[in-house]
Every structure is written in structure tokens, then in C-alpha cells.
Amino acid sequence: SSGPKSLREMPHPLATSSSEEMGPALTPSPDLLQPRSIADKDLSLPNGTPVDTSSPASSSSLLNRLQLDDDLDGETRDLFVTVDDPKKHVCTMETYITYRVTTKTTRAEFDLPEYSVRRRYQDFDWLRNKLEESQPTHLIPPLPEKFVVKGVVDRFSEEFVETRRKALDKFLKRITDHPVLSFNEHFNVFLTAKDLNTYKKQGMALLSKVGESVKYVTGGYKLRSRPLEFAAIGEYLDTFSLKLGTIDRIAQRIIKEQLEYLVELREYGPVYSTWGGLEVELAEPLEGVSACIGNCCTALEELSEDMTEDFLPVLREYILYSDSMKNVLKKRDQVQAEYEAKLEAVALKKEDRPKVPTDVEKCQDRVECFNADLKADMERWQNNKRQDFRQLLMGMADKNIQYYEKCLTAWESIIPLLQDKPETK
Amino acid sequence: MEDCLAKKMEITVSEAEKRTGRNAVNMQETYTAYLIETRAVESQSEGQCAPVDSLWRRYSEFELLRNYLSVTYPHIVVPPLPEKRADFVWHKLSADNMDPDFVERRRIGLENFLLRVASHPVLCQDKIFYSFLTQESGWKEMVNETGFQLKADSRLKALNATFRVKNPDKRFTELKHYSDELQSVISHLLRVRARVADRLYGVYKVHGNYGRVFSEWSAIEKEMGDGLQSAGHHMDVYAASIDDILEEEEHYADQLKEYLFYAEALRAVCRKHELMQYDLEMAAQDLTSKKQQCEELATGTVRTFSLKGMTSKLFGQETPEQREAKIKVLEEQIQEGEEQLKSKNLEGRDFVKSAWADIERFKEQKNHDLKEALISYAVMQISMCKKGIQVWTNAKECFSKM
């Protein structure tokens, strides 16, 4: 792979001369999709979110994003990250997509106030793994699925790339919002390094720092008793991901039924037109009904597309989130189990040393740290979850309302046509 | 229109009842009987209402009535009956004739049929029709005594026979073509509409599952619980709303079906014209050939081949007396033929005139009725959209409280 090109070498998304390099079905950056031609800088909010006013749902999502910002312990936001501008790279060995990651910050941990780098999915994956390794007591947000499950999905289609871009953007924003993760060294490098691959190879050296090299025993210790609150969280997560799974299936079923309904509607509308061709006085009314049904078809298509692109991916993201959280809970259990086992071993030895050995002390520290971090993260997660689902479900309701409004307009507009008397024409 | 029966008499098919009885081959059968109620329309002077007369009729008697009318008034586009068997069903509707929804829609259809006949300027004056409404017993015998069955059999054969007419009235040819196309397009429309209804039903009903899962989910949530629970309720409302929506749409489908069957009646009138025209052309042809025969016999020249001519050549000529006798017979036939041709011509012209008048009346009725049907369909769609907006707006509010 030739690696990501520098920004100057990147062909402009709308430049026709480089269209072959870009590939046929690529989305220009979201800001360029707006009818205005101003650069995205003028249109994005302070936290880097580009302004998307295509639907009321997204403006309410903007508001929710702003509310989220209050989360950072009353501090004003000082780090903003955005993922946009997907581009296709065709190399001898492979073809892949990179995304532009833009950072704006006033933090001292960053050398410059602004950064713009290009990253591909495996870079995000690397980051997540590094975060899990280096911050094992924290909940790391999920990434969109690595491999496409349904065989027919095109990895380079506009819809797939856009859905993935949104998920990657969310991933980074969640890390940005986190008071501990956002200061992680790997995160910093991810946002700033021109050549990430070099850093990745050097990565082993950084791990030698104390506190980051915590290795956790995998299995072997049996947990005595799980603290009530973590047991409750575990139970909650089990039911939660179950319900989400059900909702995912229902949503998919609805989309399927809607598309089958659409197929029939597409045959239905034109029959009125055919009939109109036979008639004289009824020709216009019948043609009007045909056109009306056509408009409803378009509206329905848009609804199904929106649900597929915006609703389902977020649901799935939360299922992944729950799964990774359950893993963190398991790790916590392990840390506690190890501590308990070591404590018991000491007690059994019945040494009359007044002090508890430092080894056991360290374990106890670890348990308490883990519990504290996890508790804080859970609270944050619960709050974000509530806001995310509020936004998601309101968005779903909105899309349905818009669909019905479009159909209503279509049908109301033909009433005068149907009532028209031929003499008045 | 002032003289039509519909203005003088209120007619309703008010009830339907399941009956059991013995049929023609003495086997037990179940059928539905319909109650026809009639009441004379009084002038508004007194507040008193005239008494209601009523009698029961079953579908087969309606069929008998309609057959009688079709045969007796071949120049009229006779209103059709509602379908005999449930057709163009989508999955929820039963195809069973005993199904209460089907029976109810049929009741309405039969009432509509009677009103159509009663408001037709010609048909409403028919005595058999009047007796159908007012005389329970002995009506069937009365109909059969008219002897219309004989005409009915030959009519049926004629409707389906193929024959070439040399000079049909172009308007009727075009109209027959139109009626064929109309039947085809309305059938197609009804079939697809049924499939559309089926799919739409699926979409709405699946949303009901949201109701259940939101309820279950709300049980494990603290702040989100109430919002989810109440939103789930709205999803249940949404899912349930489709039943009434689609039931209303069936009335629209019935309106279309009426005109599907009307197209058949229209076609029958066109065919009748073709039949009469063909009959006329055959009679004219026959007359021409008889005249020719006569001429040949008179002048002794044989211009056309005939078996008789050959046999006479072979077996000897006829005597002048025999020839005279033949000529006389032919001349009688020719005279008869000419009279018949004249009356057929007159019949044909009368038929064309009166049929076309009824066709014009029918066209206006059709345009008016179908426009009304399309308007009511659009209104139904508007109502459905508004309900959808309402439900989702309610759900959105619940979500906003999460």
C-alpha cells in the first residue's frame, strides 16, 4: 500500500479529471451536499459537527449533541473531532477507503491547535484495541462491524460508506467526550500523526510505562460474590441487548414489508394511467391519481432508506456496546476474584504479620479503581444511552411523520383536480 | 326522471338472514335471504309515514329478475348485480359466501342494484320489477309466464357466437372495444389493489410488535420507562387502525366492481346491435338471391349454379307450368322477404336510436359515479395519512419525555 496521500495530493471530490481514481459511487463530503457552496468551516458547529438541515430530526440531533457537551464536569469543550470526506484508494494490492479526521483543540497535550489526517478502518480498529489494552477499567465505545455480514452489500457503495462514516464519527466523539479516554496517548497519536504505521510499529515501546502494562489473569479464579450494583448492571445489560435485538428484527421486518408494499404500489399507480388513456372526461382525474400514487411511492422509498441507513446501524452499535460492556464486567469480576483468592491465600497461611502484603494491596487497589472507573463510566453510559435513544426514536417518529405528510400533500392536491367540472376548463 | 319509481318509493335491503331449505334436487342447502322493504314516499303535508311493506328474496331470485330485464330490454345497459362469489380478495377477507362481511357487502350491493333499476326511466316501469318488490309469492311463475327464457337461451348463444358483420354502426364497434378494455383494466386494478391492501396490512401489523417490546424494555429502565411504555401503546393503536382503513377501502373496491360488471352489460348491448345487423344482412342477402332465382327462371338464363338447374339439365327441363308455379312461390317469398326486411330495418334503426340514448345516459352516470368514487378514495387516503401523522406525533412526544 502506498499509504495515505497528503492532503495536497488528494484529488478534490468534485474534480472530474480524477474521477476514475475516485471510483464511481463515492459520496462527496457531507458539507458539499448542501445547496450552499460555502466551505464546511463556516457551517459546522464548535464541536465539529457539520450542519445538516435536511430534516428536523437532524436538527434535534444537533441540539442533543450540544446538550451532551455539558457532561464534561462544567468545563467548556476544548477538543473537537470530526470524521468526514471518505475517499477511495486503489492500489496494486488492495482497494480501501480513508476518512479525514479533523481535530480542533486548545489542550496543552496537543502541539498544534488544528490537525487533519486521513485514517482507514483498520486504524480505528487499532485505536480501539490500544484503548482496551491501556484503559481496561473503562468502557470503550464500539466500532461498526469490521466485516459485512450480508453477502450482497457493496463495501464501496455510497450508503455503506456514509453509514460507516457516521459510526466512526460517533466513535471518536464518544472518546472525545470521555474525561479519561480523551487524554489517552494513543488517541492523541491517532489524531495527530501523519504516518500512523510507523507509530504502530513502535507501539510496543510505549507499553512499558507503569500503569499501562496491567495484565489481567484470564480465568482461573472463581468470584465469591458480585457486588449488587455490578450484578444488577449485568442483568440489565442482558435484558437490554435482548430487547435491542428484538427491536432490530422488528425494524428489519418493517422495512421488508414496506419494500414489498412498494413493489405492489409501483404496479398499482400506472394502471390508473392506462385506464385514463381509455377515457375522455375521466382522463385527467385518473392520471392525477396515478401521479399521486407515484409520489407516495417516492416518499415510501425515502422512509425505508432513512430507516436502513440511520436507524438500524445505531441499534446495532448499541448491541455491540452492550457486548463490550459485558466483557469489561467480566474483567472486573476477574480482578475481584484474583484479589479475593490472594486474600484468602494470605489468611490461610496464618502468618502473624500485621501488614497485608503489597501484592494483595495492589490487587485491592486494582479492584477499587476498576469499580470506581466502571461505575463512573456506567453512569455516563446510561445518560448517553438515554439521550441517544431519545434522539433515535424521535428521529424514527419524525421520518414516519414526514412520510405521511408527503402523502397527505399529494392526495390533498388532487382533490380540486378530481372535483373539477369539464365546463370550467 | 320525475316518473321513476325511486322518487315514489323508498326501497331498502335492510337485513340478511341465514336459511336452510331444500333445493331443486331435494338436497338440504344453506342460503342467505335478504329482506326488501318498500314504503311509498308521501308528500310532506302530513307527518305520518306510510306503512312499510316487506318481503324476503334470495340471490337467485335477483339473478332471475336481472336475466328477465336483460332479455326484455336488450337496448338498455342493465345495472349489474354484486358478484356471486367473493373475488379479488386479499388474505384477510374470506372467500366464503357465508362470511358476515361478504354478506353485508352483498346486501348493500343488492340494495344499490334495486335503486339503480328503480331510477332508470325505462326499467322502473316494468311490472315484473314492481312485483319483485311487492309480491312475495307467485312472482317466479309470473316471470316464467312471460316466456323470456326462450329468448334468453338464444341470446346467450348469440352473445358468445362469432360472426362477421359487414356494416355495423361504427359507434357500437368502438364501444364494444371500449367495454372490453374497461373490463380488462378494472380487473387488473382490482387485483393489484387487493395485493396492495394485503401488504399494507402487513406493514401496520408488524408495528404492533413494537408495543410489546417497548413495554418489556420499559420494565428495566428508570427514566426512560414511562416514555417507552406510552409510546408502545401508540404503536398498538397504529397497528389496530389498519382494520377500519381497509374495510372502508372495500367499499371503493365495490364501486369499481360495479363498473366492471356494467362494462359487461354495455358489451351485451353492442353485441345485440351486431346480432340484429347480421340478421338484417342475412335477410337482405337471402332476398337478393331469391330475386335472382326468380329472374333466372323467368328469363331462362342460368347465371348462377344451382343443383336444381343441373338436375333439370340432366333429367329434362321442367314444364312451363312447373316453372310458373315456382316463380309464383318465389314471388310470394320475395314479397314476404321485402316486408320482413323493411320491418327489420326499422327495428334496427329503432334499436340503434334507443340504445344510443341509453348509452349516453350511462356514460354520464359512469363519469359522475367514478369521479365520486375517486374523490372518496382520495378522502380515505387523506384520512389515513392524518391518522398516521397523529399517531406518530403522539409517539414522538412520548419519546421526547424519555
Side-chain angles (χ1 to χ4, degrees):
Chain A
S1 154
S2 57
K5 297 180 188 164
S6 77
L7 258 186
R8 256 156 310 176
E9 287 167 42
M10 288 297 181
H12 190 278
L14 297 181
T16 46
S17 56
S18 53
S19 54
E20 307 93 72
E21 199 181 341
M22 260 177 64
L26 210 47
T27 329
S29 41
D31 38 83
L32 289 167
L33 287 171
Q34 301 306 316
R36 295 160 255 194
S37 56
I38 324 163
D40 66 327
K41 280 186 194 166
D42 302 312
L43 290 181
S44 53
L45 290 182
N47 72 349
T49 321
V51 175
D52 171 15
T53 53
S54 58
S55 72
S58 53
S59 37
S60 72
S61 87
L62 275 174
L63 290 173
N64 285 328
R65 286 240 152 262
L66 291 173
Q67 281 159 16
L68 219 75
D69 297 351
D70 295 333
D71 189 38
L72 282 180
D73 303 317
E75 281 176 274
T76 43
R77 305 276 271 111
D78 59 357
L79 177 66
F80 306 96
V81 180
T82 312
V83 178
D84 63 8
D85 192 28
K87 276 205 178 50
K88 196 173 178 181
H89 299 256
V90 183
C91 311
T92 39
M93 295 303 288
E94 56 173 347
T95 307
Y96 59 91
I97 308 260
T98 62
Y99 304 84
R100 178 175 64 186
V101 179
T102 318
T103 308
K104 291 188 178 110
T105 180
T106 55
R107 287 192 185 175
E109 290 79 9
F110 293 84
D111 295 334
L112 300 173
E114 270 185 52
Y115 292 90
S116 187
V117 295
R118 294 214 74 99
R119 298 284 180 251
R120 56 186 291 190
Y121 182 91
Q122 52 178 237
D123 298 331
F124 287 82
D125 196 35
W126 167 88
L127 173 64
R128 191 175 190 282
N129 288 336
K130 278 280 170 272
L131 287 174
E132 266 192 334
E133 271 176 34
S134 54
Q135 315 274 182
T137 62
H138 288 288
L139 297 175
I140 316 294
L143 273 180
E145 276 146 356
K146 194 167 200 162
F147 305 106
V148 278
V149 184
K150 308 259 159 95
V152 205
V153 177
D154 176 16
R155 274 191 308 141
F156 301 109
S157 75
E158 266 184 54
E159 293 84 23
F160 178 79
V161 170
E162 177 56 17
T163 303
R164 204 173 234 205
R165 184 204 65 76
K166 281 191 205 149
L168 293 174
D169 182 78
K170 197 115 189 243
F171 169 71
L172 291 184
K173 283 188 163 69
R174 280 178 171 145
I175 299 172
T176 310
D177 287 350
H178 197 286
V180 175
L181 294 178
S182 62
F183 286 94
N184 183 281
E185 192 167 349
H186 303 295
F187 184 51
N188 187 307
V189 173
F190 177 89
L191 293 177
T192 59
K194 277 284 173 232
D195 182 3
L196 195 61
N197 290 330
T198 326
Y199 176 78
K200 284 186 197 178
K201 287 173 191 138
Q202 296 167 357
M204 292 309 288
L206 292 170
L207 274 179
S208 61
K209 282 194 188 165
V210 176
E212 284 198 331
S213 64
V214 187
K215 284 188 174 56
Y216 290 90
V217 190
T218 47
Y221 293 104
K222 257 201 143 63
L223 186 66
R224 286 285 170 77
S225 63
R226 197 176 283 115
L228 239 66
E229 56 190 329
F230 294 111
I233 291 170
E235 270 173 39
Y236 168 82
L237 286 176
D238 282 337
T239 313
F240 178 69
S241 49
L242 219 71
K243 295 307 151 195
L244 284 193
T246 307
I247 293 173
D248 180 64
R249 278 191 300 280
I250 295 170
Q252 278 188 65
R253 177 83 190 275
I254 288 175
I255 290 168
K256 178 170 168 282
E257 296 281 343
Q258 278 173 344
L259 289 176
E260 287 177 346
Y261 171 54
L262 184 63
V263 166
E264 303 298 349
L265 273 186
R266 287 214 186 282
E267 193 184 324
Y268 185 50
V271 182
Y272 281 98
S273 203
T274 308
W275 187 359
L278 296 177
E279 300 286 340
V280 177
E281 202 181 305
L282 293 174
E284 263 190 53
L286 287 167
E287 193 57 57
V289 171
S290 177
C292 198
I293 294 172
N295 288 338
C296 293
C297 287
T298 309
L300 183 60
E301 206 171 21
E302 283 164 16
L303 174 65
S304 297
E305 259 172 37
D306 281 346
M307 290 300 284
T308 307
E309 282 166 27
D310 295 336
F311 187 78
L312 290 178
V314 177
L315 267 186
R316 293 193 185 132
E317 202 177 271
Y318 261 90
I319 295 174
L320 289 173
Y321 221 153
S322 306
D323 289 342
S324 74
M325 278 166 65
K326 282 190 257 188
N327 284 338
V328 177
L329 281 174
K330 280 200 197 117
K331 274 194 245 166
R332 192 218 67 86
D333 284 351
Q334 280 308 302
V335 171
Q336 185 182 325
E338 189 191 345
Y339 166 64
E340 285 172 352
K342 292 212 167 123
L343 197 63
E344 206 183 291
V346 167
L348 283 172
K349 277 189 190 158
K350 279 190 170 40
E351 286 176 14
D352 43 21
R353 284 201 225 174
K355 289 195 304 180
V356 176
T358 50
D359 191 29
V360 180
E361 250 173 25
K362 267 196 212 161
C363 269
Q364 185 180 22
D365 276 344
R366 279 218 288 271
V367 173
E368 283 169 6
C369 247
F370 210 139
N371 288 352
D373 284 348
L374 198 53
K375 236 180 109 175
D377 275 6
M378 270 310 296
E379 264 178 50
R380 184 175 301 109
W381 181 85
Q382 282 284 14
N383 199 35
N384 288 351
K385 173 209 78 185
R386 186 174 65 83
Q387 298 208 22
D388 281 345
F389 274 96
R390 183 173 174 276
Q391 177 188 322
L392 182 73
L393 292 169
M394 283 177 74
M396 170 174 91
D398 253 333
K399 289 179 176 82
N400 279 278
I401 291 169
Q402 279 161 47
Y403 160 72
Y404 278 113
E405 280 178 344
K406 285 177 202 162
C407 293
L408 180 65
T409 308
W411 286 105
E412 281 182 333
S413 70
I414 64 152
I415 293 277
L417 174 72
L418 293 175
Q419 288 173 331
D420 202 15
K421 295 259 188 292
E423 299 87 51
T424 61
K425 287 184 195 154
Chain B
M1 282 295 262
E2 289 89 55
D3 289 313
C4 66
L5 194 61
K7 293 274 160 93
K8 299 186 223 162
M9 184 193 253
E10 240 175 64
I11 305 168
T12 54
V13 176
S14 52
E15 276 173 50
E17 211 178 76
K18 226 192 246 187
R19 299 262 179 94
T20 43
R22 298 229 165 243
N23 68 3
V25 286
N26 208 32
M27 283 177 64
Q28 193 163 56
E29 58 166 1
T30 336
Y31 62 90
T32 312
Y34 298 87
L35 184 67
I36 303 176
E37 288 184 327
T38 51
R39 173 165 62 196
V41 173
E42 296 285 323
S43 50
Q44 303 290 319
S45 49
E46 302 145 40
Q48 266 182 314
C49 271
V52 173
D53 280 328
S54 65
L55 47 76
W56 293 90
R57 292 265 185 235
R58 53 186 293 191
Y59 188 83
S60 55
E61 292 175 277
F62 279 86
E63 277 185 308
L64 186 60
L65 172 65
R66 189 176 186 275
N67 286 341
Y68 162 79
L69 290 173
S70 305
V71 171
T72 315
Y73 303 91
H75 59 291
I76 301 285
V77 182
V78 177
L81 285 172
E83 54 194 352
K84 194 169 181 116
R85 259 164 286 279
D87 204 351
F88 305 111
V89 290
W90 59 281
H91 91 278
K92 202 200 161 203
L93 287 182
S94 173
D96 173 23
N97 282 9
M98 289 295 153
D99 180 74
D101 284 331
F102 177 76
V103 169
E104 172 59 16
R105 295 207 335 276
R106 187 187 253 193
R107 182 193 67 74
I108 295 169
L110 291 174
E111 185 178 286
N112 185 54
F113 166 74
L114 293 178
L115 291 172
R116 290 272 195 211
V117 177
S119 31
H120 192 283
V122 172
L123 298 177
C124 71
Q125 298 178 41
D126 186 276
K127 296 211 168 33
I128 297 286
F129 174 60
Y130 188 79
S131 315
F132 179 87
L133 296 172
T134 53
Q135 185 185 324
E136 184 142 28
S137 58
W139 176 78
K140 262 198 199 160
E141 289 74 17
M142 194 193 291
V143 181
N144 289 327
E145 268 165 32
T146 62
F148 87 98
Q149 282 291 4
L150 296 161
K151 281 200 250 170
D153 295 333
S154 68
R155 172 190 153 89
L156 200 67
K157 211 170 18 163
L159 279 178
N160 297 323
T162 40
F163 46 79
R164 252 190 76 82
V165 188
K166 289 191 195 122
N167 276 322
D169 184 317
K170 282 249 157 36
R171 296 177 299 173
F172 284 91
T173 316
E174 274 169 29
L175 194 65
K176 191 175 85 158
H177 184 68
Y178 166 79
S179 72
D180 286 338
E181 304 261 278
L182 188 66
Q183 279 185 291
S184 166
V185 86
I186 296 183
S187 301
H188 188 193
L189 194 65
L190 286 168
R191 270 197 309 276
V192 185
R193 192 213 70 91
R195 295 205 302 263
V196 166
D198 199 25
R199 291 302 180 191
L200 188 62
Y201 183 79
V203 171
Y204 270 75
K205 286 301 177 191
V206 179
H207 279 84
N209 293 326
Y210 274 146
R212 199 169 10 103
V213 74
F214 283 168
S215 182
E216 290 165 6
W217 182 10
S218 72
I220 59 167
E221 297 290 345
K222 296 187 195 86
E223 292 167 325
M224 280 167 55
D226 288 338
L228 273 177
Q229 175 88 320
S230 43
H233 160 73
H234 291 298
M235 290 294 99
D236 287 332
V237 168
Y238 182 72
S241 67
I242 192 64
D243 296 301
D244 285 343
I245 289 168
L246 289 178
E247 199 185 294
E248 246 204 288
E249 255 194 41
E250 281 309 311
H251 294 297
Y252 171 69
D254 285 340
Q255 286 173 297
L256 292 181
K257 275 182 215 173
E258 194 193 9
Y259 276 91
L260 173 66
F261 304 140
Y262 250 131
E264 182 62 50
L266 190 63
R267 186 180 199 277
V269 174
C270 298
R271 281 293 277 188
K272 178 69 184 179
H273 160 74
E274 284 181 353
L275 200 71
M276 289 178 81
Q277 185 66 13
Y278 180 72
D279 202 33
L280 185 72
E281 286 170 7
M282 287 294 109
Q285 199 175 301
D286 186 58
L287 187 66
T288 310
S289 95
K290 284 206 162 73
K291 281 184 179 167
Q292 224 165 42
Q293 272 182 51
C294 204
E295 196 200 312
E296 282 168 16
L297 283 176
T299 60
T301 53
V302 182
R303 261 178 298 170
T304 56
F305 176 82
S306 76
L307 195 58
K308 259 220 168 120
M310 282 309 293
T311 51
S312 19
K313 267 214 161 131
L314 290 170
F315 298 111
Q317 295 275 340
E318 309 165 299
T319 64
E321 293 82 18
Q322 283 172 323
R323 213 186 307 149
E324 273 307 314
K326 277 207 189 115
I327 291 171
K328 210 164 186 135
V329 166
L330 277 173
E331 277 176 349
E332 273 174 31
Q333 287 179 342
I334 286 166
Q335 188 161 9
E336 244 180 73
E338 281 191 328
E339 274 170 29
Q340 268 190 17
L341 193 64
K342 223 195 310 185
S343 74
K344 277 194 167 80
N345 250 312
L346 209 66
E347 244 182 75
R349 277 203 291 272
D350 278 344
F351 179 87
V352 165
K353 195 165 131 209
S354 52
W356 202 255
D358 196 58
I359 284 164
E360 292 293 345
R361 181 207 60 82
F362 168 74
K363 275 188 194 167
E364 256 190 65
Q365 174 198 299
K366 175 206 81 176
N367 287 335
H368 172 267
D369 288 349
L370 288 173
K371 235 190 219 181
E372 289 297 313
L374 289 175
I375 291 171
S376 76
Y377 184 67
V379 168
M380 276 182 233
Q381 300 305 307
I382 288 169
S383 157
M384 179 171 87
C385 290
K386 284 188 176 162
K387 277 189 209 160
I389 292 170
Q390 185 62 62
V391 164
W392 282 105
T393 306
N394 291 343
K396 186 180 171 186
E397 216 189 288
C398 296
F399 291 137
S400 74
K401 297 199 183 118
M402 270 167 57

